[in-house]
Amino acid sequence: MFVFVSIILVFVAYTISIKFVYYRYSQLWPHLRNKISTPSYTVGNASFCPTQVRSSALSRNSEDEKPPVTASETRALLVTAHPDDECMFFAPTVLKLVESHAALYLLCLSTGNYNNQGLQRKRELLDSCAVLGIPSNHVTIIDDKELPDDPAVQWSTALISSLILKHIRNYSISVVLTFDGRGVSGHVNHITIYKTLRVSPLIPRTAYTVLLFYIFYMSVPTGCQIFSLHSISLLRKYLSVLELPVSWLFPSDFCCLIGREEYKRAKRAMLCHRSQLLWFRRLYVLFSRYMIVNTFQAITVETKNVKIY
């Protein structure tokens, strides 16, 4: 009897802690959103690109039509590696930004053609974005031989940096969101995006890497922030909503949390990726905390006292 009562008390206490997290988050969200508001800078040269881009997009904004910018508007760029990343890993962030009327752009660096399903996965991505609330003209899908959906192929960091820079400057992006150094699932393509953004010449590297650093970081407008999605342990990853109190205890620079109705919408977006709905991904949708909460760490690179080796 004592054990039964103890279990009930623990369950009640944990349920209360989850409700407390939701309550506190609802109070903090306006402050979090203000952290990523667009700084006051002008749109750069629309043709700016440090390397020649040989990529094509299924759908994108016309580069000649520069978007109007206000100083308080949030303009975010989500950089992913494959179709379905946007809802498998970033759905809470996308939904919260869309709900807040932020201008959200998606840059998907491959067509997901690992199993020769590239055309189908492009269509699925656009369907998913429609459910999540990202306009089709805000979605860019890159189809380039240097960026194949293949963990055995090393992606071109120069090409990635040029594509990201082009979006930042063309659309006056105030915040870039992408993977961290573990890529959530450990996929090499995910990690390469982070490495491209995180490269620092303070560490002995090749002259090419140092040059890439200068091209990227010296060209990003002042005030543009870069955040990487926290990768967590396997146990925490599949605790679903039960993981929320744990996430709350660990520090993060930016956080997005959704409720039941938004989760249903994220699930519908994932169901658009019909070619990827194997049994283990269906389980992922049910149990992954990434379908409910995203926590981010700011990527900072010290640009002072740079040493070139």
Side-chain angles (χ1 to χ4, degrees), residues 74-146:
T74 301
R75 306 188 67 85
L77 173 63
L78 174 61
V79 184
T80 62
H82 318 102
D84 76 14
D85 289 347
E86 79 293 339
C87 53
M88 280 190 68
F89 307 117
F90 296 96
T93 302
V94 172
L95 290 171
K96 291 302 294 184
L97 291 177
V98 169
E99 177 189 296
S100 300
H101 305 290
L104 178 61
Y105 295 83
L106 173 63
L107 173 60
C108 183
L109 294 174
S110 79
T111 62
N113 199 40
Y114 186 73
N115 292 316
N116 298 316
Q117 297 175 311
L119 291 176
Q120 180 181 354
R121 296 194 68 184
K122 287 180 183 180
R123 293 191 292 268
E124 291 172 350
L125 175 56
L126 291 179
D127 290 342
S128 171
C129 288
V131 173
L132 293 172
I134 306 176
S136 61
N137 62 344
H138 284 202
V139 180
T140 301
I141 305 171
I142 303 302
D143 188 2
D144 192 286
K145 62 182 180 180
E146 292 190 29

Side-chain angles (χ1 to χ4, degrees), residues 249-280:
L249 293 175
F250 284 87
S252 62
D253 295 312
F254 184 60
C255 176
C256 292
L257 172 63
I258 58 176
R260 181 180 301 175
E261 293 305 314
E262 292 162 312
Y263 165 75
K264 291 180 181 178
R265 191 171 168 186
K267 183 178 178 180
R268 290 201 306 273
M270 186 60 204
L271 293 177
C272 291
H273 293 280
R274 292 174 292 276
S275 66
Q276 304 303 301
L277 289 179
L278 303 175
W279 66 269
F280 57 86

Side-chain angles (χ1 to χ4, degrees), residues 55-69:
S55 308
S56 60
L58 179 66
S59 177
R60 69 175 65 187
N61 273 356
S62 170
E63 293 178 357
D64 296 328
E65 298 176 0
K66 299 177 183 178
V69 181

Side-chain angles (χ1 to χ4, degrees), residues 278-306:
L278 303 175
W279 66 269
F280 57 86
R281 288 199 178 91
R282 293 182 182 275
L283 290 178
Y284 178 95
V285 171
L286 292 175
F287 295 107
S288 175
R289 60 84 84 168
Y290 288 100
M291 297 293 294
I292 298 171
V293 62
N294 289 157
T295 53
F296 293 86
Q297 183 73 37
I299 297 179
T300 56
V301 177
E302 180 61 56
T303 59
K304 297 178 180 179
N305 302 319
V306 175

